[in-house]
Amino acid sequence: MIANISVSTWNDKKCSILRCAEVVTPWGKALVVMHEEAIVEWWFASWEESKAALLRRWPKAHWVEDDAEVKETVRAIFDRDRSLNLKLCLKGTKFQISVWKALMSINFGEVTTYQAVAKAIGRPTAVRAVANAIGQNPISWLIPCHRIVYSDGHLGGYRWGVDIKKRLLLEEKPLTNFSLIF
């Protein structure tokens, strides 16, 4: 996957010019949003489908649509450009950010459970809160929430639809460490 990923957290005092572009991925259309050099959103949806929710999430932002630099960053990701230093910037509560960072420690080809993520962040009884935070993951695929399954192997849900989750997992399946139930 991507060798160099750095993560920072959003500071509302930052300049809020957000650039976005619709891109085609192996799993369908996606909308990618960047602030400066960092990806802040990756949704498996179009701008039209996402616009109202994104405007609520980023009410002070000034938007630049169909941005060439966003498209170039996505191209570099899919080309597996080893020189790419990918930056992600997370906007969420401290709890959500701790969950999303834990998701990033799940290796390509591995899956784990909601319970395991709760334990990993030191909150073993907060399984429902962990599941809620996973469902709010703003940077789908790069923060691999699709790698979370139920403890019995069932897929569970996925914000962008179970079909996309299945396709993501099938791409990684030769490496999967868990018996999945499709």
Side-chain angles (χ1 to χ4, degrees):
M1 187 72 187
I2 301 159
N4 303 310
I5 299 179
S6 61
V7 178
S8 63
T9 55
W10 182 259
N11 173 347
D12 277 327
K13 294 181 177 124
K14 288 182 181 179
C15 173
S16 57
I17 296 173
L18 297 178
R19 301 178 334 275
C20 66
E22 286 185 20
V23 296
V24 176
T25 74
W27 314 287
K29 190 184 315 181
L31 179 72
V32 179
V33 180
M34 294 180 71
H35 175 264
E36 296 175 355
E37 296 179 353
I39 293 175
V40 296
E41 305 275 350
W42 183 300
W43 292 26
F44 285 110
S46 70
W47 172 242
E48 285 307 311
E49 294 166 321
S50 311
K51 189 174 185 176
L54 286 168
L55 293 176
R56 280 192 306 276
R57 182 162 158 76
W58 303 93
K60 298 176 185 175
H62 300 282
W63 291 87
V64 176
E65 296 178 38
D66 201 30
D67 187 78
E69 189 176 336
V70 173
K71 290 178 180 179
E72 179 58 25
T73 299
V74 173
R75 185 207 54 77
I77 291 169
F78 284 106
D79 285 351
R80 297 182 182 351
D81 182 343
R82 293 289 177 195
S83 67
L84 177 66
N85 291 310
L86 186 62
K87 296 176 181 159
L88 307 180
C89 185
L90 304 177
K91 180 180 181 183
T93 66
K94 286 181 182 181
F95 180 80
Q96 288 173 324
I97 290 169
S98 71
V99 170
W100 300 334
K101 285 182 176 180
L103 295 178
M104 293 184 70
S105 70
I106 305 166
N107 293 322
F108 184 88
E110 295 181 355
V111 295
T112 192
T113 65
Y114 296 97
Q115 180 69 54
V117 174
K119 287 179 184 176
I121 65 166
R123 303 281 302 271
T125 61
V127 177
R128 283 188 182 200
V130 164
N132 188 26
I134 290 169
Q136 297 300 312
N137 172 14
I139 307 176
S140 295
W141 182 60
L142 293 173
I143 298 177
C145 53
H146 64 279
R147 296 183 188 147
I148 307 302
V149 297
Y150 292 138
S151 57
D152 67 1
H154 281 90
L155 292 184
Y158 188 61
R159 182 178 185 180
W160 309 110
V162 175
D163 286 341
I164 290 177
K165 183 174 185 173
K166 282 181 190 177
R167 292 197 324 245
L168 290 165
L169 290 171
L170 284 171
E171 178 176 305
E172 300 178 16
K173 190 170 186 207
L175 304 172
T176 299
N177 61 337
F178 207 87
S179 294
L180 297 175
I181 301 170
F182 290 102

